[in-house]
């Protein structure tokens, strides 16, 4: 099984990923918890600190994913449940929202990014999308270093793109505006974990 966790910064993905891993392992399952961006080609995360064109970012994140997918596929074939903290929907939502003006619509932007992804694609069985208001998400990660996207108006656009994608990419949407405990309870009961 392949599960991805998506949401804007501070949505709780990383905590939920760890909780899912612990739960599956307590049931005797093998779990491979991983994340994007990776450090496979180079430290891809560092590109968030540079002033780069969104196309450049889209290609770099996609390239990182092509290499990451080799690892993911191998783990799946070895019987692991793979949980990925950010995956292709992060590129669709983050780079999509940055490119939307150039393409003129969300549909056309998504169509373009999907074309780059399609030849190498492996879609998750489940995409868990944690929906949070940017102000609440940002408060949660106040102590962490601010990255380029961690600004309210940009995150609002990213969230809007996620919500657009949620209708066409079959997300499981969870409200992450309240505490982590109730979010976890919702996920547990919905997914029968
Ligand atoms: P990170 O600190 O890992 O964020 P988080 O802990 O919230 O997951 O940094 C990842 C940043 O990279 C985040 O701001 C989103 C961005 N990103 C993209 O813009 N596109 C992508 O395809 C991926 C994987 C990440």
């Amino acid at each position: 099984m392949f599960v991805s966790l998506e949401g804007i910064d501070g949505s709780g993905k990383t905590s939920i990923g760890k909780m899912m891993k612990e739960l599956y392992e307590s049931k005797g399952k093998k779990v491979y918890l991983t994340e994007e961006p990776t450090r496979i080609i180079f430290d891809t995360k560092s590109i968030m600190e540079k002033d780069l064109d969104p196309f450049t970012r889209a290609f770099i994140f996609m390239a990182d994913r092509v290499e990451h997918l080799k690892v993911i596929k191998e783990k799946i074939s070895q019987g692991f449940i793979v949980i990925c903290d950010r995956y292709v929907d992060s590129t669709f939502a983050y780079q999509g929202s940055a490119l939307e003006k150039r393409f003129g619509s969300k549909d056309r932007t998504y169509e373009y990014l999907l074309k780059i992804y399609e030849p190498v694609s492996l879609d998750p069985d489940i995409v868990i999308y944690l929906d949070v208001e940017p102000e609440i998400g940002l408060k949660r990660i106040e102590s962490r270093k601010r990255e380029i996207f961690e600004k309210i108006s940009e995150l609002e656009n990213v969230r809007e793109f996620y919500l657009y994608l949620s209708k066409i990419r079959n997300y499981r949407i969870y409200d992450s505006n309240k505490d982590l405990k109730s979010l976890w309870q919702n996920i547990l009961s919905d997914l029968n974990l």
Side-chain angles (χ1 to χ4, degrees):
M1 187 169 66
F2 179 23
V3 182
S4 70
L5 292 159
E6 293 288 350
I8 61 168
D9 309 77
S11 58
K13 297 176 283 78
T14 307
S15 310
I16 293 296
K18 285 183 191 149
M19 289 159 100
M20 285 179 78
K21 177 176 156 75
E22 266 173 36
L23 187 79
Y24 280 127
E25 283 179 341
S26 73
K27 294 183 177 184
K29 302 208 166 108
K30 295 196 290 181
V31 178
Y32 181 67
L33 178 61
T34 184
E35 66 178 348
E36 290 189 3
T38 80
R39 293 167 180 263
I40 299 173
I41 312 174
F42 64 97
D43 183 3
T44 317
K45 205 167 170 171
S46 65
I47 70 162
M48 294 311 284
E49 284 148 31
K50 295 187 178 140
D51 183 22
L52 300 172
D53 190 280
F55 274 114
T56 311
R57 287 216 173 99
F59 295 136
I60 290 175
F61 284 126
M62 285 290 186
D64 182 45
R65 186 160 303 119
V66 173
E67 296 307 315
H68 193 204
L69 261 174
K70 293 183 196 163
V71 182
I72 292 175
K73 283 180 181 164
E74 173 150 16
K75 292 291 178 186
I76 292 173
S77 75
Q78 291 167 349
F80 282 86
I81 293 175
V82 175
I83 302 172
C84 194
D85 183 345
R86 293 199 183 282
Y87 184 62
V88 70
D89 289 276
S90 285
T91 305
F92 293 153
Y94 280 80
Q95 280 63 59
S97 70
L99 288 169
E100 189 181 342
K101 269 208 185 97
R102 288 200 222 170
F103 282 98
S105 72
K106 286 189 173 58
D107 284 342
R108 291 189 55 207
T109 314
Y110 172 59
E111 210 176 287
Y112 175 83
L113 292 172
L114 191 60
K115 275 215 181 94
I116 312 174
Y117 165 66
E118 253 166 6
V120 290
S121 66
L122 178 70
D123 270 338
D125 301 296
I126 304 172
V127 180
I128 294 179
Y129 168 61
L130 306 180
D131 187 53
V132 73
E133 281 171 27
E135 293 94 310
I136 296 176
L138 284 180
K139 267 218 184 88
R140 284 189 188 144
I141 56 170
E142 234 161 24
S143 56
R144 290 197 334 214
K145 204 172 81 183
R146 293 276 159 112
E147 283 149 3
I148 183 167
F149 275 113
E150 297 182 356
K151 289 187 221 139
I152 297 219
S153 66
E154 277 160 6
L155 284 178
E156 256 154 20
N157 292 335
V158 177
R159 183 188 184 203
E160 222 181 79
F161 217 105
Y162 267 126
L163 291 171
Y164 155 82
L165 292 164
S166 71
K167 297 189 190 97
I168 45 183
R169 283 188 53 83
N170 209 15
Y171 289 175
R172 300 272 191 149
I173 305 182
Y174 298 94
D175 182 355
S176 182
N177 289 297
K178 294 183 203 101
D179 57 310
L180 195 66
K181 215 171 145 196
S182 53
L183 170 66
W184 178 233
Q185 281 311 319
N186 281 342
I187 296 175
L188 278 180
S189 58
D190 185 45
L191 295 179
N192 278 324
L193 290 177

